[in-house]
Amino acid sequence: VEVSGESMVPTLHDGDELVLNKAILPKRGDIIVLNIDEKNYWIIKRVIGIEGDTIKFENDKVYRKTIDDEDFILIDEDYTQGITEPKGQTIYFVGEGEYFFLGDNREKSSDSRYYGVRTEEDLVGVVTSWSLKQKGFWYSFNKVINYPSNWFSSCKNTIGE
């Protein structure tokens, strides 16, 4: 997939090309691609909550309570940019087979604060860790072997904010 937009800055940037694993389910902290509607509108975000978690927004911070926790714990998010403000609800429960996700660029992201929690059915894939480390690989590979651009572009999808 090719990233389009700023919702995952500073981790991902417009034009980054990544590889998805469609055979695994995501864990907290993984970056995923979700299909948001029947028109195949894909977005890329970070998983903050999985089945059984409760997510809370308070004082521009994000807290999580897992099924094993008695209290909410502040999530250490050194990868974010911008202020994390709730857009409506301040507490979300993540049900069976659901995910709560946020963009790393909190002020420029339409995420679970807008779309709510989403199910496994909406999951397109999990961005591979080696793909994140080698974000420019596919672009460089295409330039080196000099395939016609129409062949390469037919092999990827663009994802939005």
Side-chain angles (χ1 to χ4, degrees):
V1 295
E2 180 178 345
V3 176
S4 174
E6 301 175 87
S7 71
M8 287 298 290
V9 170
T11 308
L12 301 174
H13 299 276
D14 192 69
D16 284 348
E17 294 173 346
L18 304 164
V19 174
L20 302 179
N21 184 338
K22 295 183 175 193
I24 63 170
L25 294 176
K27 305 177 300 295
R28 290 179 199 99
D30 283 349
I31 296 176
I32 60 174
V33 173
L34 295 154
N35 182 17
I36 293 302
D37 66 22
E38 63 280 350
K39 297 176 189 158
N40 285 326
Y41 178 66
W42 291 5
I43 62 172
I44 187 165
K45 305 296 173 199
R46 186 180 300 273
V47 174
I48 301 299
I50 60 172
E51 183 176 310
D53 291 349
T54 303
I55 306 300
K56 177 173 83 170
F57 294 97
E58 188 175 283
N59 299 324
D60 301 325
K61 304 276 187 218
V62 183
Y63 296 83
R64 178 176 45 231
K65 182 178 174 184
T66 70
I67 56 175
D68 298 326
D69 296 329
E70 290 186 30
D71 295 313
F72 283 93
I73 298 170
L74 176 65
I75 300 172
D76 181 22
E77 299 184 294
D78 59 352
Y79 48 79
T80 62
Q81 176 175 300
I83 296 171
T84 306
E85 293 181 355
K87 296 178 181 175
Q89 287 180 240
T90 56
I91 295 182
Y92 295 82
F93 177 73
V94 186
E96 184 177 346
E98 293 180 330
Y99 301 99
F100 184 90
F101 51 92
L102 295 172
D104 290 356
N105 188 351
R106 298 294 164 79
E107 294 176 5
K108 296 191 181 215
S109 179
S110 294
D111 43 43
S112 281
R113 296 171 293 172
Y114 178 76
Y115 296 113
V117 295
R118 301 303 280 219
T119 67
E120 289 175 8
E121 293 175 359
D122 299 321
L123 181 66
V124 176
V126 178
V127 175
T128 63
S129 58
W130 66 264
S131 178
L132 286 171
K133 293 175 186 166
Q134 303 296 324
K135 290 185 290 189
F137 171 78
W138 294 112
Y139 177 80
S140 300
F141 178 74
N142 184 44
K143 293 296 180 191
V144 169
I145 61 174
N146 200 24
Y147 274 110
S149 60
N150 61 346
W151 179 88
F152 185 67
S153 60
S154 70
C155 296
K156 64 183 177 181
N157 287 312
T158 300
I159 48 181
E161 307 261 10

